Amino acid sequence: MSMSKRALLFSLAGVAAVGGVVAGGLAASAATAPGKPTLTNGSAHYTAPSAHRAGSFTYTVDVRDNSGIRGLKVVAWPASSKLDPTATDLRDVEPATCEATSDDTSRCTYTLKITQKEATEAAKGTWYVSALATAKDGDTGFAPRTATFEIAG
């Protein structure tokens, strides 16, 4: 059974309970087979909401494939949820914005606004970031746990 967009996006919104930088220097290979998209130099950053502005969660990563990059889907989810999203699940979430930095590499950024309510309701503990990269030739690379971080509680 596939998870709904709402469940995955709500999980990402829950990152709001952590403060400051969620994680830095995240890096992972989306696939080990040659010709599949790979992810490197990933980082996640959280800005807490305040009384006067929304917070945000941002994940940025370099994605490479010899045919170029068509897109990237990203979701963060609490380990306590037991969601463990699959590549198929990530096909239904909002895309990151990708800009080519060379013929075969793009810098992709996903940003989500976080409300005060979402920050308050976020699960505490270990969180994971999953990513699905799609190359221009149709190949995909799935990183089920491209990053791990803790939300203090």
Side-chain angles (χ1 to χ4, degrees):
M1 172 165 41
S2 178
M3 288 178 279
S4 72
K5 283 184 187 181
R6 181 171 170 84
L8 288 173
L9 292 176
F10 181 76
S11 293
L12 183 54
V15 171
V18 88
V21 174
V22 173
L26 306 175
S29 172
T32 56
K36 299 285 185 181
T38 57
L39 284 69
T40 58
N41 303 320
S43 66
H45 180 78
Y46 169 74
T47 302
S50 72
H52 304 290
R53 65 172 170 72
S56 65
F57 171 78
T58 303
Y59 178 75
T60 303
V61 66
D62 293 325
V63 186
R64 183 181 184 282
D65 184 82
N66 59 359
S67 71
I69 299 303
R70 182 183 309 155
L72 180 76
K73 306 276 184 117
V74 177
V75 68
W77 49 282
S80 62
S81 72
K82 309 289 188 218
L83 288 176
D84 208 11
T86 66
T88 301
D89 296 324
L90 265 69
R91 294 179 196 276
D92 295 328
V93 300
E94 294 177 357
T97 301
C98 297
E99 293 187 29
T101 57
S102 71
D103 289 342
D104 63 359
T105 304
S106 291
R107 163 104 358 132
C108 299
T109 303
Y110 179 78
T111 301
L112 179 67
K113 297 292 182 196
I114 307 296
T115 67
Q116 189 69 43
K117 181 179 181 197
E118 290 166 332
T120 302
E121 295 174 351
K124 309 303 184 257
T126 301
W127 282 67
Y128 303 113
V129 175
S130 299
L132 175 66
T134 304
K136 287 184 178 177
D137 64 7
D139 285 343
T140 59
F142 177 59
R145 293 185 181 169
T146 186
T148 301
F149 56 92
E150 297 293 318
I151 294 181

